[in-house]
Amino acid sequence: MKLGQYDTFVVCDWDNLKDAFANDALLARPAKGFISGIEETLSVIAMSGDVWREHRRLSLNFLRNVGLGKREMETLISEEIHQFLSSLEDDANDLPQRLMPSVSNNIAALLFGRIFYYDDPDKIMIDQGVQRFSESFQLTGILSFFPWLIKPLIALGKANLKVISKTHQRMHAFISKEVLAHKNKVKSTEIEDYIDEYLNAQSKRKDNLFKDMTLRRNVVGFFVAGSETVTSTLTWAIMYLVQYPQYQEKIRSEIQEVIGTEKRPDFSDRLRMPFTQAFLYEVQRIESVVAFNLIRRASQDTKIGPYNVPKDSLVFFNFWSVHHDPKLWPNPDKFNPNRFLAENSTKVVKPPYLVPFSAGKRACPGEGLANVELFLYTVGILQRFKIKSDKPLSFDAHFGLTRRLKYKPDLIFEKYLSNNSI
């Protein structure tokens, strides 16, 4: 298609998507980023070429060495979930609003080396910033194809761009304070968080590739992406638990058999809880919270399957289409976790065409952390509560940065155990 000033390709089937994932000519982003009138410095999410590879390598090394796969990180998430569940006992209204501060605390621990009280003014400000940005920014909106409109529209106060711009400014101001505090703290050889890792790499390089402004942009990007996607997915998961109480009970029976009522769940418990894993896979498939990938750009003339893709064309990966393709998923509009089960429902199987975090070299680096969170929150909630609603549920979605639930659900959280020591 010709959209605005760009030749644009939308990849909607698995065979061509698999081909595109493996194509290094499709790793680039739009030359000026996603919102060029607002983000003059690109984050690792919006970078291309060698500068992207260097920053991505740093991020992956950090996640491998400090965050993902470390028992300490899972323990921290478990403690955060315990705090969140205790707060639900007092008030379970407006679940998405209550989930965000908890989920974003897990990202805060990785980025800043600390978590926040839910009533911390700075934390409230950045959580609200994530929500405003996620509601206002549309990745496939008109500004993706007419970037020259961004500055005039900011000046005119149109298209929610003032909201996005102000949110960026406030979050950058907060993160600047965090970076300064990290620079001023007593020198230590121990890397405690992402800011430490970045500043350490910055001090060792002789070039000017790792800049303070890029660090701030990276932190904003990671904080928004890590908070919003997990919060939205968990909200959809809870909606399906209420809509299908038989699945809620099936997961609870796995919890009783594998974990019990006295122990907090571990991520390793998933290996003996195939239906719970299948349920989460089905939520990720049917709702496809990230329905399209972040925009790719062809860095040179290339091909996707039999199709010629000229240099500088924009390329979208339509995950929604793949996740609802009847050739891959029988009755794709029906919510059915059993489609992921094999061997008499004793084994969960994830097919390669379930790609909620994308795939290839630009796959989401936080996929591992997100999967830990999705499992531990879901199991933790059902270990302590039965969830229901006296009113019909609406599964209408709002399309912003992700596919979010459009209307606030009216949910009832009943204490499952009167004497729960978890």
Side-chain angles (χ1 to χ4, degrees):
M1 299 178 287
K2 188 76 172 181
L3 294 179
Q5 66 193 65
Y6 299 104
D7 292 325
T8 306
F9 292 77
V10 185
V11 186
C12 298
D13 67 296
W14 173 241
D15 287 342
N16 284 310
L17 183 60
K18 184 168 54 175
D19 184 38
F21 280 149
N23 189 340
D24 283 359
L26 299 177
L27 293 174
R29 298 292 195 200
K32 294 185 178 180
F34 302 119
I35 37 179
S36 58
I38 295 174
E39 52 172 20
E40 299 301 342
T41 299
L42 300 183
S43 72
V44 62
I45 296 171
M47 290 172 179
S48 305
D50 290 340
V51 64
W52 163 69
R53 291 182 180 86
E54 288 293 321
H55 278 81
R56 181 174 173 83
R57 185 178 297 115
L58 174 79
S59 302
L60 291 174
N61 284 341
F62 166 71
L63 289 171
R64 184 164 50 248
N65 296 334
V66 178
L68 303 185
K70 298 290 185 179
R71 182 67 188 176
E72 294 84 356
M73 189 64 206
E74 185 180 333
T75 300
L76 189 149
I77 294 172
S78 180
E79 287 297 325
E80 171 53 44
I81 292 172
H82 177 68
Q83 175 179 261
F84 167 70
L85 293 176
S86 298
S87 75
L88 277 187
E89 290 184 356
D90 300 324
D91 180 12
N93 290 325
D94 199 359
L95 182 68
Q97 195 77 20
R98 298 177 67 79
L99 262 174
M100 175 67 76
S102 178
V103 171
S104 64
N105 255 349
N106 300 321
I107 306 300
L110 276 175
L111 298 174
F112 310 128
R114 63 191 180 101
I115 62 172
F116 298 78
Y117 292 113
Y118 296 153
D119 59 357
D120 184 292
D122 284 332
K123 186 61 163 38
I124 292 172
M125 182 272 295
I126 57 175
D127 285 337
Q128 289 175 344
V130 171
Q131 185 155 342
R132 290 193 194 101
F133 180 82
S134 300
E135 290 173 348
S136 303
F137 179 62
Q138 292 185 318
L139 188 65
T140 55
I142 190 171
L143 297 178
S144 297
F145 312 104
F146 295 94
W148 54 269
L149 279 174
I150 292 178
K151 288 186 178 180
L153 289 175
I154 291 175
L156 293 170
K158 302 292 184 181
N160 289 321
L161 286 173
K162 276 200 170 178
V163 172
I164 294 171
S165 181
K166 191 168 288 187
T167 297
H168 265 255
Q169 291 170 12
R170 288 175 176 171
M171 294 184 76
H172 273 271
F174 168 76
I175 291 165
S176 294
K177 289 193 299 184
E178 288 288 324
V179 172
L180 183 61
H182 278 68
K183 287 183 174 182
N184 291 338
K185 72 180 182 181
V186 177
K187 293 291 183 183
S188 169
T189 57
E190 186 175 355
I191 303 296
E192 296 179 346
D193 52 53
Y194 177 76
I195 295 177
D196 280 344
E197 180 83 10
Y198 195 98
L199 293 175
N200 181 58
Q202 185 185 62
S203 69
K204 293 179 178 179
R205 298 186 70 97
K206 295 181 180 179
D207 55 28
N208 197 29
L209 196 64
F210 284 49
K211 303 174 183 177
D212 281 5
M213 180 55 77
T214 305
L215 169 59
R216 292 194 288 272
R217 289 289 303 119
N218 286 353
V219 172
V220 169
F222 290 148
F223 192 88
V224 171
S227 302
E228 171 63 17
T229 53
V230 174
T231 299
S232 292
T233 305
L234 281 170
T235 303
W236 287 116
I238 288 167
M239 292 289 285
Y240 282 101
L241 288 170
V242 176
Q243 185 76 356
Y244 298 98
Q246 68 271 29
Y247 294 152
Q248 188 174 156
E249 290 308 313
K250 204 163 183 178
I251 293 174
R252 193 172 284 111
S253 68
E254 283 193 335
I255 292 171
Q256 293 279 25
E257 182 180 341
V258 175
I259 304 171
T261 59
E262 302 299 318
K263 184 178 86 73
R264 295 184 192 178
D266 295 326
F267 188 51
S268 61
D269 293 328
R270 77 194 187 284
L271 301 174
R272 293 186 291 155
M273 299 176 67
F275 185 81
T276 303
Q277 280 291 94
F279 174 86
L280 291 173
Y281 286 156
E282 181 68 345
V283 172
Q284 291 175 317
R285 181 199 69 83
I286 200 166
E287 288 304 332
S288 296
V289 165
V290 180
F292 280 81
N293 67 306
L294 294 170
I295 306 172
R296 302 283 187 97
R297 174 177 58 87
S299 57
Q300 63 190 52
D301 291 347
T302 188
K303 293 174 77 75
I304 300 177
Y307 302 97
N308 294 316
V309 180
K311 181 181 178 181
D312 290 328
S313 299
L314 299 185
V315 181
F316 287 89
F317 299 160
N318 187 346
F319 301 140
W320 177 274
S321 177
V322 171
H323 288 163
H324 290 79
D325 185 343
K327 292 181 290 187
L328 302 173
W329 314 95
N331 299 315
D333 295 329
K334 181 182 180 182
F335 185 82
N336 180 18
N338 294 303
R339 67 176 81 244
F340 294 99
L341 295 175
E343 299 179 15
N344 285 330
S345 299
T346 61
K347 183 179 179 181
V348 64
V349 178
K350 180 185 176 184
Y353 38 86
L354 178 67
V355 284
F357 299 94
S358 190
K361 294 179 181 177
R362 287 215 86 135
C364 173
E367 177 177 357
L369 175 63
N371 284 329
V372 172
E373 292 178 284
L374 292 173
F375 178 82
L376 293 182
Y377 274 92
T378 301
V379 172
I381 289 170
L382 291 183
Q383 196 179 34
R384 191 177 292 201
F385 297 101
K386 288 186 176 181
I387 320 167
K388 63 182 183 179
S389 177
D390 293 335
K391 300 177 181 178
L393 299 176
S394 170
F395 283 75
D396 290 347
H398 168 77
F399 291 81
L401 183 64
T402 63
R403 292 185 67 260
R404 313 169 110 236
L405 191 65
K406 189 172 185 178
Y407 302 109
K408 183 174 77 171
D410 190 3
L411 303 178
I412 300 168
F413 283 70
E414 289 183 349
K415 193 85 177 291
Y416 177 56
L417 296 171
S418 59
N419 220 352
N420 197 319
S421 61
I422 296 170

